Amino acid sequence: MRRRSDRVPPHRPSAVARRNLALWERIAREYEVRNARALRRADGAAWGVWRIPERQLRLLDDVRGRDVLELGCGSAGWSIALARRGARVVGLDFSPSRLAQARQRMRRAGVEFPLVEASAEGIPYPKARFDLVLSDYGATTFADPNRVVPEVARVLRPQGVFVFAHASPFRTVAQDLRADRLGRRLIHDYFRTRVIRDLSDPSVEFQLPYGEWVELFVACGLAIERLVEPRAAANARSSYVSTADARWARHWPSEMIWKVRKLPAPAPRKIGR
Ligand SMILES: C[S@@+](CC[C@H](N)C(=O)[O-])C[C@H]1O[C@@H](n2cnc3c(N)ncnc32)[C@H](O)[C@@H]1O
């Protein structure tokens, strides 16, 4: 029987989630085809636009027997890789088309785990359900961090870990949205960096200044363990970015990967003597 605290109220996706869902439904096929090689790098266990293998970055603890949630799993490359390592995985994405791709990849890989169609703004699981939540440019990029990070903190067990790859604030302030390229000037107001609109599309991405990321983690009871700022290798190529942007990323971090850990619940305070 479900305890009262286990009940999760049904969630209505925000207007932003509905707009971004329309984008992902439209581009799901093209995205999967264009990035097919990148998505299979290191058998799916690779981070960010440079696809740096997890075995090199070592961000994850041992996942054997752990409950893992991938937020915005897309075709579930990460989830498949972690299931193969013995994790009990759930892949969550709001896009039916992307989940269909995940099902296909799972069949090919001979791996089974639940796939959940939901928005990360309201994770349909009770509190303290997972040991690890990860997102590789997944829902944390496309949903407001002020809604997603508290949700992640809620579903994590004490000592559980949240690892996610995201564009860096450097990239955000230097991105010329009209020309769709990164430049050497700071174009956008760093302090007003919140919602990034692609000018050719009604979809949006999110960003926070570094200090606000830190404040948000602290407010949610998440302690920072690592902030990795991958540098593009010389002559790096990526199906996600142009060659010019790859050159830019030799000099400034184009992305960041946070690892934060949920603090244990404070011991109950004794009242009186
Ligand atoms: C750039 S892809 C990254 C996914 C995966 N790492 C990959 O490369 O296939 C972003 C994914 O996040 C999903 N997504 C975006 N916003 C979401 C939200 N609010 N809730 C759940 N999934 C979301 C999209 O449907 C898409 O599959």
Side-chain angles (χ1 to χ4, degrees):
M1 206 175 81
R2 277 192 150 193
R3 279 174 292 134
R4 198 179 156 77
S5 63
D6 280 353
R7 276 194 227 124
V8 182
H11 166 76
R12 265 175 59 83
S14 66
V16 162
R18 292 198 301 273
R19 279 215 301 261
N20 280 346
L21 172 58
L23 166 84
W24 280 102
E25 283 297 283
R26 202 172 59 247
I27 67 168
R29 199 183 132 64
E30 184 257 324
Y31 177 90
E32 190 71 9
V33 171
R34 177 164 42 90
N35 301 306
R37 269 187 65 187
L39 290 167
R40 279 157 188 74
R41 185 94 205 276
D43 284 332
W47 292 104
V49 300
W50 313 116
R51 309 311 291 151
I52 304 174
E54 162 60 16
R55 62 174 176 273
Q56 193 176 322
L57 293 180
R58 294 179 169 279
L59 283 151
L60 306 182
D61 305 333
D62 186 357
V63 296
R64 262 173 306 172
R66 299 295 182 185
D67 289 306
V68 175
L69 173 67
E70 185 180 4
L71 266 195
C73 63
S75 57
W78 262 109
S79 293
I80 292 169
L82 298 184
R84 281 179 163 153
R85 293 177 189 191
R88 288 190 296 265
V89 180
V90 175
L92 178 149
D93 204 291
F94 66 3
S95 158
S97 304
R98 299 246 51 211
L99 290 174
Q101 293 168 341
R103 249 171 249 118
Q104 255 180 29
R105 269 180 89 174
M106 286 163 67
R107 250 196 316 276
R108 278 201 298 268
V111 175
E112 261 299 319
F113 50 81
L115 292 173
V116 176
E117 185 184 320
S119 171
E121 296 168 331
I123 301 172
Y125 280 94
K127 67 180 186 184
R129 168 66 174 72
F130 294 100
D131 302 298
L132 167 66
V133 177
L134 92 156
S135 183
D136 187 17
Y137 281 89
T140 39
T141 297
F142 299 95
D144 186 345
N146 286 299
R147 294 183 74 158
V148 175
V149 176
E151 272 297 272
V152 171
R154 181 181 65 78
V155 299
L156 272 179
R157 296 186 176 124
Q159 300 293 352
V161 167
F162 178 32
V163 185
F164 68 100
H166 199 99
S168 79
F170 281 87
R171 179 189 169 89
T172 305
V173 293
Q175 191 172 20
D176 181 339
L177 292 169
R178 229 168 275 282
D180 189 21
R181 59 166 301 184
L182 296 169
R184 289 174 174 246
R185 285 188 318 114
L186 304 180
I187 304 174
H188 304 285
D189 185 335
Y190 175 77
F191 295 105
R192 293 169 65 95
T193 299
R194 295 293 178 286
V195 177
I196 307 149
R197 269 172 226 284
D198 179 341
L199 297 180
S200 62
D201 200 285
S203 67
V204 298
E205 293 184 20
F206 288 86
Q207 185 59 279
L208 297 177
Y210 283 107
E212 282 191 30
W213 281 110
V214 173
E215 296 288 334
L216 180 58
F217 298 142
V218 171
C220 294
L222 299 166
I224 297 166
E225 291 199 350
R226 289 178 66 187
L227 170 58
V228 176
E229 297 179 293
R231 183 185 187 196
N235 302 319
R237 293 277 181 279
S238 165
S239 50
Y240 295 96
V241 299
S242 68
T243 314
D245 287 0
R247 276 200 299 273
W248 184 97
R250 286 289 290 160
H251 306 286
W252 299 278
S254 66
E255 58 185 6
M256 57 183 185
I257 311 175
W258 291 96
K259 177 177 184 177
V260 297
R261 191 179 294 274
K262 182 158 174 181
L263 294 167
R269 274 200 296 162
K270 278 196 188 142
I271 300 171
R273 286 170 184 249

